[in-house]
Amino acid sequence: MGHPMASFVLLLLCSTCPLSPVSPLSPVSPTPPTSPCFTVLPDAPLELNLTQTVPHCSELDWGHFQRQRRLWLSHNGIEALSPSSRVQPALEELDLSHNALWELPAPFLSQARGLRKLLLRHNRLRDLPDGFFANSTALESLWLDGNPLPAVPRSAFQPRLRFLAVPCRCDVVGSVLGPCACSPAACRCHCLDPQSRRFNVSHFHGSECRGRGALAAGAAAAAALVALALAVAAVVWHRRRAAAAGFGGGKRDPTAAHGRPRYVSTANGTGGTDGTADGTAPDYENVFVSPCRATATARGRTPGWQRHSPQVPVSAVCSLRSEDVGDQPIYANTQSLCQDSIYITPDQ
């Protein structure tokens, strides 16, 4: 082994040596930009077909498709496009069908002035902004079938549009009836069912939607009538039950709530020993008299009004009064043929 100071001296000498110039780096061949889903070369063809290239794509970077004129991206499981995605004016045909797109960026077609054919069929699109197609002035063919769209934006009906395909559902078909109004022979609007069978939207709406609408309206009206009948029946039943609970024959329960008085009818040969049905002193009495004649003493007890009023002849006016009224109310129950009132107060 050498002396330990030799390494230190050698290092010190190297630090004072002039540095040689660094040779320039050799040029590196450019690597193609890599999309999260596809590898696209800078010199990719203007008509690029990437149909069924990958099984799944969570988000597609649109920055790699800036020079194509026709682009096919169907059957790749694409779920979303990058928020900055814009269709360039040079693109004329775009196929994004049979993917899993839930939505598209609102400005996706803001520069698509040259787009003539757009296929978005069989995705999961639930909504498209009202002005989504406003700048696609060259649009001639638009496929939207196979999506759960509730309606088609008005901006889709560009002056050059010659063909439109929508799902065969009454809501979305109804949204295109006005713009698609035309003769059956030259109608440009069609709907496709899940089996891809094509129907004229006017014919489909007339045969499938109008009848269903009338049936739904009839069912709703019938349900409303049934509900009304049930409500009326419930009200009638409740009133009858309340009336039955509040009406009773004979004597009422003396233990009724809130101190309700007991009502007892007395007549000759009826009631208890003191003029009541159960032998207890009544709160109020209904006394039945013969035509314009005072009643006899009931079971040995003289009513208060009889103690203060003489017997009345038949031809006299039937009018009885008592001086023992006090603070108690007077109740009358007359069953005489002369229809005169008899005022009675209980015994004090």
Side-chain angles (χ1 to χ4, degrees):
M1 293 182 63
H3 195 275
M5 291 297 295
S7 299
F8 177 76
V9 173
L10 181 60
L11 180 62
L12 183 62
L13 292 174
C14 289
S15 63
T16 59
C17 296
L19 297 176
S20 60
V22 179
S23 60
L25 296 176
S26 60
V28 180
S29 59
T31 57
T34 303
S35 168
C37 302
F38 305 101
T39 299
V40 182
L41 298 175
D43 57 347
L46 298 180
E47 296 184 359
L48 183 59
N49 189 350
L50 297 176
T51 300
Q52 204 169 355
T53 302
V54 295
H56 176 261
C57 178
S58 59
E59 182 177 296
L60 177 63
D61 183 5
W62 198 262
H64 304 286
F65 309 109
Q66 301 299 315
R67 56 187 301 269
Q68 275 67 40
R69 292 178 54 191
R70 293 182 180 179
L71 182 60
W72 293 274
L73 296 170
S74 62
H75 295 277
N76 285 301
I78 303 172
E79 295 182 357
L81 303 181
S82 58
S84 60
S85 299
R86 304 286 190 279
V87 171
Q88 296 302 312
L91 189 63
E92 298 178 1
E93 182 176 344
L94 174 60
D95 186 359
L96 282 169
S97 60
H98 293 277
N99 283 294
L101 292 167
W102 290 89
E103 61 180 357
L104 295 173
F108 182 59
L109 300 180
S110 60
Q111 302 176 15
R113 295 182 295 273
L115 188 63
R116 295 187 294 107
K117 185 176 182 180
L118 177 60
L119 292 90
L120 296 173
R121 54 196 315 241
H122 294 286
N123 278 279
R124 302 175 183 176
L125 298 173
R126 296 183 176 274
D127 181 55
L128 292 174
D130 291 337
F132 186 73
F133 301 96
N135 295 327
S136 303
T137 54
L139 192 61
E140 298 177 359
S141 179
L142 177 59
W143 298 72
L144 297 173
D145 57 292
N147 287 283
L149 289 170
V152 176
R154 289 281 180 170
S155 60
F157 296 92
Q158 296 293 332
R160 297 185 181 182
L161 188 67
R162 295 294 176 265
F163 180 83
L164 173 66
V166 297
C168 281
R169 292 199 324 273
C170 292
D171 52 353
V172 65
V173 169
S175 70
V176 302
L177 280 181
C180 290
C182 53
S183 62
C187 191
R188 62 189 179 185
C189 301
H190 300 270
C191 71
L192 281 78
D193 64 6
Q195 289 75 36
S196 296
R197 294 177 297 182
R198 187 180 299 183
F199 301 91
N200 179 280
V201 292
S202 300
H203 294 168
F204 178 84
H205 189 271
S207 61
E208 298 294 333
C209 302
R210 292 179 181 175
R212 292 182 181 180
L215 182 61
L225 290 177
V226 170
L228 179 62
L230 291 176
V232 172
V235 171
V236 172
W237 176 81
H238 179 74
R239 289 185 177 180
R240 288 183 177 179
R241 184 177 180 182
F247 176 79
K251 190 188 75 168
R252 292 194 177 188
D253 186 4
T255 62
H258 304 295
R260 285 183 179 177
R262 295 167 295 168
Y263 295 86
V264 181
S265 298
T266 62
N268 292 333
T270 62
T273 57
D274 56 352
T276 65
D278 56 359
T280 60
D283 289 332
Y284 302 97
E285 291 182 357
N286 295 331
V287 181
F288 302 94
V289 298
S290 59
C292 295
R293 184 180 301 275
T295 61
T297 302
R299 300 288 184 179
R301 186 168 60 89
T302 303
W305 60 268
Q306 192 173 4
R307 291 197 300 268
H308 301 282
S309 299
Q311 296 290 335
V312 183
V314 175
S315 60
V317 178
C318 299
S319 177
L320 302 176
R321 65 178 59 184
S322 173
E323 298 177 358
D324 297 332
V325 174
D327 295 332
Q328 297 187 11
I330 299 176
Y331 292 80
N333 188 341
T334 61
Q335 294 187 359
S336 62
L337 296 179
C338 61
Q339 298 299 323
D340 290 327
S341 300
I342 301 176
Y343 296 90
I344 303 170
T345 185
D347 293 336
Q348 301 296 327

